[in-house]
Amino acid sequence: MKRKVLVIGSGAAGLAAATRLLELAPDRLEVKLVHQGHHFGGKASSTRTSSGRFIEHGWHMVVGFYDRLRALVRRAGVNDGDVFLSMGGQSHPFESWSQRIHTLDGSGDSVDFAGRFLSYDGLPIADRGNYGWFMGQAMLAARGTQDLTRHDDLCFDTFAIEHGMRPHLTKYSVFRFLREAYFNFPEQISAYHVLQSMRLMSTPARAESFVCKGPWSEVVWEPIARYFLALGGTVEPFTLATDWVWDGTRITGVRVARPDSAGHGEGTRPWEPAVRGLPGTERTLSGFDFVVSTIPHAVFVKMNRSEERMWRSPYFKRLLNLRSGATVSMTLTTREPVLEFPGPIFGFPAPLGIAVNMKPYWEEYRNDPKAGSVLDFVGQEAGFEGWSDSEIASATLDNFSRAYGVGDLRAAGVGEVELHRNRSDSERLLLCEPGVNQFRPGPRTPFDNLFLAGDWVRNEVDLICMEGAVASGHNAAAEVVSRL
Ligand SMILES: Cc1cc2nc3c(=O)[nH]c(=O)nc-3n(C[C@H](O)[C@H](O)[C@H](O)COP(=O)(O)OP(=O)(O)OC[C@H]3O[C@@H](n4cnc5c(N)ncnc54)[C@H](O)[C@@H]3O)c2cc1C
């Protein structure tokens, strides 16, 4: 008889776990995927506005080392080479001292790594040698055999100064980039996370950045969901897990709610029709042998919160030390072309410090004469919670327009503006702050049949990104299969 597995959450980790379970043990497992939202992909999902345009939960980049994500996409029948488009190996730090957007060229072999900072004109000449030398040392440490996790309790600024970088260099965008990219801005970032990124990106090919040619949910995650169905899996749609039901060391049920009004889906997708007419239902899912939870940390720690026995136990108590941040994202079109840089621009004032012109990459916009540029902005909300959406949008336009050579974005004719504050628990992103790893769990839990996956769960990638989420999903699936 087949053993039953419930996978909760349909982001990168949930889709990776659910498909991997059926790839590994198709004859021995029955897998059900609990899908909360309208769109597959969790934090990396996309949606469409009433005007039919698509927007992302936040701008998402694929890095050259994302082998697991690419392989999953290929197994789902999608040609990853068609879907992920290279940004040409360049990124563009905005440095406040020069008020200019500079270019950092990521091409060339790894011997050139330190050398590229000697020609980076975003640093004054007097600082380039010291910075290039430090980055060369950091790359050597990252690529060496030492266990990088020992650098987790240090922030990267301290690591850099301890390793000979002049302290004032911490103020440059080219140094602060990873803090911003991991949304640890304005918080400090663990030196381990930066060094681990450098280790994984240690060749130009593995550091190259790519973007998706269209809406992530439609282009990437739905084909994977269809592949899961083709493998024999089933989807429990529009279902929110609220509490664990447990007995001794086993999860025996999951309390779920269907908070959404039914009938919103077109009913054309294979996972939608079953839910019509069932809004507001609360019930318990039971009868499974294993559960893989890919619920994000900020949601996970709210489940069964009134149960002191659970939350006073050392395992669960440690999870309360983890923190996550709310992100903000904004997409706008301009009539005239602006920000014609191939790669991401970063280092602008908070909250929306990163900007990318997606016009050349997004198929739907590439040949649209009404959109001269399509700007995707992203950043962390911290410090701006009291600002209205229009204040944030307006400040962002001012910040960018002040940069030398950009010109007035408003004069370029701002069209549609979509701003999202990703504040809810399921949207928040784990902060990889110093010391975080001692509190991050692995796939196993005190319950014999509950396994964890998700970007916040430790894995061989270990970074808070889609590739880490996929790796953790695979690990949780392997844990289940090893117990059959
Ligand atoms: C603005 C932004 C930009 C980012 N940029 C990048 C990038 O450029 N590159 C990159 O690699 N990564 C990026 N990330 C990180 C990346 O999105 C995540 O690391 C990754 O998507 C996490 O996948 P996951 O499956 O672990 O979690 P999630 O994507 O959060 O998936 C969890 C799933 O569980 C569901 N869920 C939540 N609560 C419940 C519940 N109670 N019951 C049932 N289901 C539930 C959610 O709806 C979701 O489907 C970015 C993140 C953000 C927020």
Side-chain angles (χ1 to χ4, degrees):
M1 212 176 66
K2 288 189 177 180
R3 314 287 294 280
K4 294 189 171 143
V5 191
L6 198 64
V7 177
I8 307 178
S10 56
L15 289 166
T19 51
R20 178 49 67 91
L21 284 162
L22 289 172
E23 288 165 347
L24 290 176
D27 304 328
R28 289 178 289 164
L29 292 177
E30 220 176 276
V31 182
K32 181 172 281 215
L33 180 68
V34 175
H35 174 44
Q36 173 192 257
H38 297 234
H39 306 282
F40 285 98
K43 285 191 261 293
S45 60
S46 56
T47 185
R48 285 197 182 265
T49 63
S50 49
S51 68
R53 292 290 202 191
F54 74 85
I55 40 161
E56 295 182 334
H57 178 101
W59 180 69
H60 273 73
M61 172 174 102
V62 167
V63 189
F65 69 86
Y66 285 17
D67 300 331
R68 295 166 188 81
L69 174 66
R70 278 182 180 271
L72 175 59
V73 167
R74 282 197 298 274
R75 293 201 299 282
V78 176
N79 182 341
D80 60 314
D82 287 347
V83 162
F84 297 134
L85 310 177
S86 169
M87 304 196 85
Q90 288 187 348
S91 51
H92 310 279
F94 168 78
E95 299 288 358
S96 55
W97 70 276
S98 66
Q99 286 292 303
R100 281 173 192 270
I101 297 168
H102 302 266
T103 292
L104 193 63
D105 193 347
S107 58
D109 62 30
S110 49
V111 179
D112 295 337
F113 180 78
R116 82 183 48 136
F117 299 103
L118 294 175
S119 54
Y120 172 63
D121 63 3
L123 287 175
I125 287 178
D127 289 323
R128 291 183 204 167
N130 174 257
Y131 189 62
W133 173 84
F134 160 68
M135 287 299 277
Q137 298 303 305
M139 183 54 111
L140 282 178
R143 292 173 68 189
T145 52
Q146 63 170 251
D147 173 17
L148 297 178
T149 55
R150 69 196 176 98
H151 300 296
D152 185 52
D153 62 341
L154 276 189
C155 66
F156 189 56
D157 291 24
T158 305
F159 175 90
I161 295 164
E162 270 190 355
H163 286 77
M165 191 187 82
R166 292 186 197 138
H168 72 277
L169 290 176
T170 55
K171 71 180 182 216
Y172 291 103
S173 291
V174 70
F175 177 77
R176 293 155 83 96
F177 163 58
L178 280 161
R179 254 167 80 181
E180 209 171 326
Y182 283 110
F183 302 108
N184 265 62
F185 205 81
E187 317 282 344
Q188 280 291 353
I189 185 169
S190 138
Y192 163 68
H193 281 80
V194 178
L195 294 170
Q196 173 72 353
S197 306
M198 290 173 89
R199 176 174 280 182
L200 292 169
M201 296 185 206
S202 63
T203 66
R206 295 186 74 69
E208 191 171 348
S209 39
F210 299 81
V211 281
C212 186
K213 70 170 186 182
W216 269 88
S217 290
E218 294 167 34
V219 174
V220 175
W221 307 118
E222 284 188 13
I224 299 174
R226 287 176 197 275
Y227 169 57
F228 166 69
L229 295 179
L231 289 170
T234 53
V235 174
E236 185 76 25
F238 307 116
T239 301
L240 175 83
T242 54
D243 290 299
W244 307 112
V245 183
W246 51 290
D247 183 11
T249 59
R250 289 189 73 75
I251 298 289
T252 56
V254 182
R255 290 288 300 155
V256 295
R258 187 160 276 155
D260 238 325
S261 61
H264 41 62
E266 302 94 55
T268 51
R269 294 169 171 143
W271 48 85
E272 278 177 351
V275 300
R276 286 177 182 276
L278 290 171
T281 317
E282 276 188 59
R283 67 212 154 101
T284 300
L285 298 178
S286 53
F288 44 77
D289 300 288
F290 303 100
V291 183
V292 173
S293 166
T294 73
I295 292 174
H297 165 262
V299 179
F300 189 87
V301 293
K302 295 213 167 136
M303 293 175 74
N304 301 68
R305 269 317 280 277
S306 56
E307 285 190 56
E308 291 212 350
R309 211 174 119 211
M310 187 184 264
W311 286 102
R312 285 229 178 123
S313 72
Y315 175 88
F316 283 93
K317 210 164 147 184
R318 271 173 20 152
L319 303 182
L320 299 175
N321 291 312
L322 295 169
R323 297 195 307 151
S324 51
T327 55
V328 198
S329 48
M330 179 168 85
T331 308
L332 65 80
T333 55
T334 59
R335 201 178 51 245
E336 303 299 327
V338 288
L339 289 184
E340 293 185 73
F341 296 90
I345 307 166
F346 56 86
F348 277 98
L352 288 164
I354 301 180
V356 193
N357 183 3
M358 294 300 288
K359 160 99 179 170
Y361 304 107
W362 280 343
E363 264 177 353
E364 288 180 37
Y365 287 94
R366 201 178 301 139
N367 301 316
D368 181 350
K370 290 201 291 296
S373 53
V374 186
L375 308 182
D376 225 6
F377 298 86
V378 68
Q380 204 200 115
E381 192 190 37
F384 294 84
E385 292 84 353
W387 287 39
S388 68
D389 289 2
S390 58
E391 282 171 327
I392 290 181
S394 177
T396 305
L397 290 177
D398 291 343
N399 291 335
F400 277 81
S401 303
R402 268 186 222 118
Y404 187 85
V406 168
D408 185 352
L409 288 186
R410 288 185 187 83
V414 174
E416 297 162 54
V417 182
E418 280 285 338
L419 189 133
H420 292 270
R421 308 176 86 143
N422 306 314
R423 286 172 163 173
S424 77
D425 288 334
S426 59
E427 293 172 318
R428 294 171 73 88
L429 197 65
L430 190 78
L431 291 179
C432 39
E433 53 196 333
V436 70
N437 271 5
Q438 64 189 303
F439 303 118
R440 288 174 71 191
R444 295 181 195 171
T445 70
F447 296 106
D448 299 337
N449 61 342
L450 174 67
F451 301 97
L452 301 188
D455 56 3
W456 62 287
V457 175
R458 297 215 51 195
N459 60 76
E460 56 278 31
V461 174
D462 236 13
L463 305 175
I464 313 302
C465 66
M466 295 181 285
E467 181 71 356
V470 171
S472 78
H474 288 169
N475 292 346
E479 291 281 351
V480 170
V481 171
S482 73
R483 278 158 183 79
L484 293 179

